[in-house]
Amino acid sequence: MAQLHHFPFLKSFLLVLTTLTCVSGKHFRTTKLGVRNRFTPKTADIQGTHNSEEYEVYNYTQTLDHFNFKTESYTTFQQRYVVNRRYWGGPTNNSPIFLYTGEETDIMGDVKYIGFVRVLASRFNALLVYIEHRYYGTSMPFGSKEEAYKNGNTLGFFSSEQALADYAQIIVDVKKDMSAQNCPVIAVGASYGGMLASWFRLKYPHIAYGALASSSPILYFLGLTPENGYDAIVSKDFKVSRNQKISSESFVTPLTVINATKPTFYAQSTSTSCYNTIRESWFEIDRVALQPHGLSKLSRMPLNTSQDLKGNLESRYDAMAQYDNPADNYLQSFCNAIDGAGEKTYIFDKILAGFAPIYGTSCYQVYDLKFNKHSGWDWQSCTEMVMPMGRGENDTMFQADPFDLDKYSKECEQVFGVTPRPYWAPIEFGGYDIIAWMLALQWLRTLIGWLHNEKPRSRL
Amino acid sequence: MAQLHHFPFLKSFLLVLTTLTCVSGKHFRTTKLGVRNRFTPKTADIQGTHNSEEYEVYNYTQTLDHFNFKTESYTTFQQRYVVNRRYWGGPTNNSPIFLYTGEETDIMGDVKYIGFVRVLASRFNALLVYIEHRYYGTSMPFGSKEEAYKNGNTLGFFSSEQALADYAQIIVDVKKDMSAQNCPVIAVGASYGGMLASWFRLKYPHIAYGALASSSPILYFLGLTPENGYDAIVSKDFKVSRNQKISSESFVTPLTVINATKPTFYAQSTSTSCYNTIRESWFEIDRVALQPHGLSKLSRMPLNTSQDLKGNLESRYDAMAQYDNPADNYLQSFCNAIDGAGEKTYIFDKILAGFAPIYGTSCYQVYDLKFNKHSGWDWQSCTEMVMPMGRGENDTMFQADPFDLDKYSKECEQVFGVTPRPYWAPIEFGGYDIIAWMLALQWLRTLIGWLHNEKPRSRL
């Protein structure tokens, strides 16, 4: 009976492999950070609007390695940053400067799409300075992405510590240029960029008066956070989303230091129907895959294993939860459609019915999820940003897949020729202590401000 | 009349050049940091005693470059550290750990001679962990000092930021080994080591609960402190030291964040006799040097210019002031002897009479004061630790000698093939803001401790 339903499923869920390179078995998922990613539904709500006349784009001649004095460390590259003076109260008022610590993307995307910093700048009369992270966008050492990403030795200068030092160099220079030495700097960022904002505050407290980190998993490192943290929260989202309008904030809260916006409201009831449908689908995919020509029944394009399909589906579920803007309500749409398909509908058809309102009914791409040597975030995941993603047998809506550091490291070595340093980030950037520390500082700032009844100052 | 006095002067003040390399004109003095240096009088009082049975010496396999992921960054070297458990209250009492942040010297010298950390450890039941700074003592990358100091590319990994990261790695490891995760770490250091202690607190607040910096000029960078700061205070010391018992603390106070010990008492009256004698001596040296065979009249060994002699004398005056332990009273002895020589005594004889009780009456070495490619501190001075030393016409007891960054940089390029980054340290480590910041933190700590009435904790 179940088999009869394969063809309708295949007809509409046409899978097109985007690469013919070998895709063998399970590959490691990196954390899916970023304010958008390739699985983000196209209908995602974009906050704010973009007016290119507001922005001035500059390049800063940046030092390649701030902490090393070898000859090549003195090499420079052009780092892009963008200034928006529209909301600024100016230096004579000591109006604040919001330093947007660019994350793993082209900074112009942030300038266009990140609305909350503009809203905040407008409210606090702040100067906006967006700085692009090295090795992203046009901020490429060695002249081009091709050269910069050539191998481990050209990528070697690509680290979060170097990025923070870049921000320090540029913001001090910008303050000087604008005679804004007395204007307090607040670091602001989202996702990995928010981690950077927090860490900028940690490492450069003499430059940053404060930091605002939106949806930033600063504790998602080995030994600090359970490896199933991400998947468990995504799964929980799918449990509570039936017929309930819910903000995406609810799932990021446990990973987040400070949320820029508050969730509108939460679901009050739960349903396991949506959750169970997804969970059962993995086993059905495996069952079909084991049939004669099973993989070709799952996709018109060749799959190496059923994992190619499962990994891509998983990434779409992740994206639906992670980017579930209140206006879009992906999870609600998905789960309502699953339920609407009726209990007796074949499981693949239920899933397809769920995807239809979000991703449409045409073919979906199947991406190669292996570490990609052209991906900056994959390089970072293979060096410092080792954020363990895994889960056990029954703790999520996904199949068991424990995090395996040895295998992870081997894949990094194969792709980048680099060995991760998984225990370094908690030493360099702190574990739970940083949270207590930040809360204490915030309290100190408030108290000092209250005692002195004056505006914050920074003299560097 | 003055000329008649040359020969007695030469007879007793025999100068022996230790190097025959070209010593041309004025060379740049680096700041004379360190808990001792080659100009420190031999009679210097050594605090405390050393019992080798108290110490356990270890090596830690350290990463060459913490902030870079090139293949060579993964190279490791053996970094030495020393543990003294004698005073420790143990992990069950959450007794503190004093992390002695080694400065520009062999760590065993600190272990033997730095008494105040032992006194403090005894008082606070602290574990003592002394960590040797990379590129000093036996903590040499590339297997040996010869290899490590070969050129700018082997020295490139020699920076304060790397040293701080080394300390973080080791202390986290030591805490784990000793099940001392809950024991608060206090960074302690002297001179440059105290700067490191301050900066360790700044950069790793999640690891170091506090810091104690003794005699550490953390603000002696371009644009932060007048370049004549050091020489002016040395000069002032020579003015106030006549017949007055005075602690060496008085002159370091303006450069120091926190002094481990308090000065015993201060001189109440001043005298310009000692100061004036030194000041006039420079012009007399120049006058003699211009005579036929003038330089050979000043020294049995050849001098290239009178500056060779003047620079060495200057360094001895500096050392007498900087290392003027209360028990030794170098300045008092020197100035008393100058005055005792009588006003009509030839100026060189006065100076010699002053030196006699401190450096003895046998020959004094004349050192080459040029940047030395075998000196770790000179490398640091030529990269990040650009601490401008200079003075005007009449602001010190020395001749005018303004700091000249261009010439300084050129000498660095000649000796090490490296260009200084003089503006980096204030960005990386902060200017005046760090002081306000530290005071605020100290106040916060005190307040929190008072509110909670509990011992400090750190969980990393």
Side-chain angles (χ1 to χ4, degrees), chain A residues 179-199:
Chain A
S179 304
Q181 282 92 337
N182 287 333
C183 297
V185 171
I186 309 291
V188 183
S191 192
Y192 166 57
M195 296 160 76
L196 292 168
S198 304
W199 296 336

Side-chain angles (χ1 to χ4, degrees), chain A residues 60-202:
Chain A
Y60 180 85
T61 301
Q62 191 60 271
T63 299
L64 185 57
D65 194 323
H66 299 276
F67 312 115
N68 183 305
F69 296 92
K70 292 182 61 170
T71 307
E72 67 175 349
S73 303
Y74 285 80
T75 307
T76 58
F77 66 97
Q78 295 304 303
Q79 184 167 13
R80 184 165 58 171
Y81 67 98
V82 178
V83 174
N84 179 352
R85 304 176 197 240
R86 175 177 167 185
Y87 310 105
W88 197 31
T92 50
N93 296 319
N94 292 345
S95 292
I97 297 171
F98 289 171
L99 161 57
Y100 187 88
T101 49
E103 74 283 356
E104 71 280 23
T105 188
D106 186 302
I107 197 69
M108 297 314 293
D110 294 331
V111 169
K112 288 177 186 168
Y113 299 124
I114 305 297
F116 81 91
V117 290
R118 284 203 299 274
V119 172
L120 290 172
S122 160
R123 180 162 165 196
F124 291 97
N125 299 326
L127 179 71
L128 280 167
V129 181
Y130 302 78
I131 308 181
E132 191 164 69
H133 192 296
R134 55 167 58 196
Y135 288 86
Y136 292 106
T138 65
S139 299
M140 290 292 164
F142 306 109
S144 68
K145 179 164 183 179
E146 191 184 352
E147 287 299 315
Y149 279 66
K150 190 178 264 180
N151 56 47
N153 284 333
T154 56
L155 284 164
F157 307 90
F158 185 178
S159 73
S160 299
E161 294 91 336
Q162 302 283 359
L164 295 173
D166 292 340
Y167 300 149
Q169 283 273 24
I170 292 178
I171 200 68
V172 167
D173 191 66
V174 167
K175 288 182 79 170
K176 196 176 160 200
D177 276 358
M178 297 198 173
S179 304
Q181 282 92 337
N182 287 333
C183 297
V185 171
I186 309 291
V188 183
S191 192
Y192 166 57
M195 296 160 76
L196 292 168
S198 304
W199 296 336
F200 191 74
R201 178 73 184 82
L202 176 77

